[in-house]
Amino acid sequence: MSRPVDYGLEYSPHDIVFMGWVGDEDGNYDGLKTALHYMLESGRRGYVGFGSDIGGYRGDSSAGPLGRTKELFLRWTAIGALSSFMENGGNGEHLPWRFDNETTDIYRSWVNLHYQLVPYLYSEGTKIALGRNGTLMKPCDTIETLFSNSYFLGSSMFVVPVLQDPTPGQTQHLWLPRSSTNQWIYYFNTSKTYKANTHIDEDTSRLDRIPLYIEQNSLIPMYDLEKDISLHAFRFVLWGDIIVRKQETVMFTRDGQQWLLEFNYLEKQINVHLIEQYDSNEREEWIWKFCQYVDQQEICSQDWIRLYDGATVALEFLI
């Protein structure tokens, strides 16, 4: 672990920072804004993956005995979960259960989301690192998002940070950028689909979510925590109503396997192909199923199958 950009300086060579953190920030919203500034600047300068100390490194003496307010801590937790590197570091005791039960439950939900996204984050980051051609946390630099600190997480997700405490009825006016399918799906309610290149008002009155959007018909590998908490079960998730006939993505596993996932709507099937096995001291066994998330439904193939070259699932249930 090493610093990418901090205080406007590049601290470490790009090729050693597959995962980094952006230094020691204050435990308040100014600290969160500073962390986001240096994270997005790290992306602009081509560092692959990075995060920040959730809740800030330095405590705020005006924020109570834990040095951070509950609200600030959970807003920062959301950004930590939606970064490639999620860590609760820094000075002072600020573990979630030191606040209250609600904080623990919300923190747990973000940790679970982060774990589910690890195959996506790891695959996206590996493709970028091998190609030396980008960053996992890419700033959205259109004029409409100039002061929002919004960013793309990998190729298929768009995140808008919330930098204030929640209040009843609170909304945030935000811009949804261009996408290849011209549609974005709200992660927390897949019945909400928005056109790209438009302004919307999103509810930000809850502590357990921030604006997070998935490009429609993205094919995203995710861990299935209910099936296997040891992280050997995948869901290959297609997001939204079918608007493209074919979709594919490349997935890297943590034991050095590279796979091609191919979805074909006309043939009503998904195929997986082993591309390469990189050197590894350990070979693991994986299982998978296909799911479509649409209109608040999780429609999945019934059987779990072993991940092997040429494995296919017939799909008769697509929407």
Side-chain angles (χ1 to χ4, degrees):
M1 187 179 73
S2 181
R3 295 191 196 197
V5 173
D6 192 10
Y7 293 102
L9 302 174
E10 294 183 10
Y11 270 68
S12 306
H14 288 65
D15 58 358
I16 71 166
V17 187
F18 187 75
M19 203 63 65
W21 105 112
V22 292
D24 303 338
E25 316 301 346
D26 294 327
N28 52 39
Y29 282 110
D30 285 340
L32 176 53
K33 292 175 185 177
T34 300
L36 278 164
H37 170 75
Y38 288 130
M39 291 165 76
L40 297 179
E41 184 59 28
S42 296
R44 291 186 182 95
R45 300 194 190 194
Y47 288 94
V48 176
F50 34 80
S52 62
D53 293 314
I54 291 173
Y57 181 85
R58 291 181 290 268
D60 182 350
S61 60
S62 66
L66 299 182
R68 298 98 178 143
T69 66
K70 166 183 175 175
E71 292 77 15
L72 176 278
F73 178 75
L74 287 174
R75 292 305 198 199
W76 208 316
T77 296
I79 300 303
L82 299 174
S83 307
S84 55
F85 182 32
M86 183 180 187
E87 61 148 350
N88 183 357
N91 284 338
E93 182 62 83
H94 56 284
L95 295 169
W97 46 88
R98 294 294 303 276
F99 291 88
D100 56 30
N101 289 338
E102 182 187 39
T103 302
T104 304
D105 290 341
I106 294 174
Y107 191 90
R108 181 184 294 112
S109 71
W110 283 114
V111 169
N112 286 338
L113 173 57
H114 185 78
Y115 268 108
Q116 290 168 31
L117 292 177
V118 163
Y120 167 76
L121 297 172
Y122 185 74
S123 298
E124 293 286 297
T126 300
K127 286 184 283 186
I128 291 165
L130 291 175
R132 298 177 181 271
N133 62 348
T135 180
L136 192 52
M137 190 173 178
K138 180 182 178 182
C140 184
D141 287 332
T142 61
I143 189 66
E144 294 86 355
T145 63
L146 191 59
F147 300 107
S148 69
N149 295 295
S150 57
Y151 59 92
F152 300 95
L153 185 62
S155 60
S156 301
M157 296 187 174
F158 181 65
V159 182
V160 183
V162 179
L163 303 176
Q164 57 183 327
D165 291 352
T167 57
Q170 182 184 86
T171 62
Q172 186 161 319
H173 193 64
L174 57 90
W175 172 260
L176 290 176
R178 182 175 56 189
S179 80
S180 63
T181 58
N182 201 39
Q183 298 285 336
W184 293 98
I185 297 172
Y186 184 47
Y187 179 89
F188 297 103
N189 183 349
T190 55
S191 66
K192 296 174 67 174
T193 302
Y194 301 104
K195 289 184 178 180
N197 287 314
T198 189
H199 284 101
I200 65 169
D201 292 305
E202 192 63 83
D203 179 16
T204 55
S205 64
R206 298 175 54 165
L207 271 177
D208 61 345
R209 58 186 60 177
I210 65 171
L212 169 62
Y213 306 92
I214 313 294
E215 189 176 60
Q216 186 163 4
N217 281 189
S218 296
L219 181 59
I220 294 182
M222 303 174 69
Y223 282 140
D224 189 304
L225 304 183
E226 294 180 1
K227 176 64 176 178
D228 186 359
I229 60 173
S230 62
L231 308 179
H232 286 87
F234 293 107
R235 288 188 179 201
F236 300 150
V237 179
L238 189 75
W239 290 81
D241 292 327
I242 305 299
I243 59 175
V244 297
R245 295 182 177 181
K246 294 182 179 180
Q247 188 63 279
E248 65 180 38
T249 191
V250 173
M251 179 183 75
F252 291 85
T253 62
R254 60 178 182 262
D255 63 343
Q257 298 176 21
Q258 181 181 354
W259 293 84
L260 176 66
L261 317 180
E262 296 180 315
F263 166 78
N264 189 311
Y265 175 65
L266 295 179
E267 298 179 4
K268 295 291 195 297
Q269 65 183 22
I270 181 170
N271 305 308
V272 299
H273 301 284
L274 178 65
I275 299 175
E276 187 170 355
Q277 171 70 62
Y278 292 90
D279 290 340
S280 175
N281 294 325
E282 184 176 351
R283 305 287 174 87
E284 302 187 44
E285 292 292 326
W286 312 93
I287 57 175
W288 67 282
K289 65 166 51 177
F290 173 85
C291 295
Q292 183 185 12
Y293 289 0
V294 57
D295 293 332
Q296 290 294 83
Q297 302 177 76
E298 296 182 4
I299 307 169
C300 298
S301 53
Q302 293 185 352
D303 298 326
W304 290 92
I305 64 173
R306 185 174 57 85
L307 185 63
Y308 61 88
D309 188 32
T312 298
V313 171
L315 307 174
E316 301 298 336
F317 53 82
L318 296 170
I319 297 176

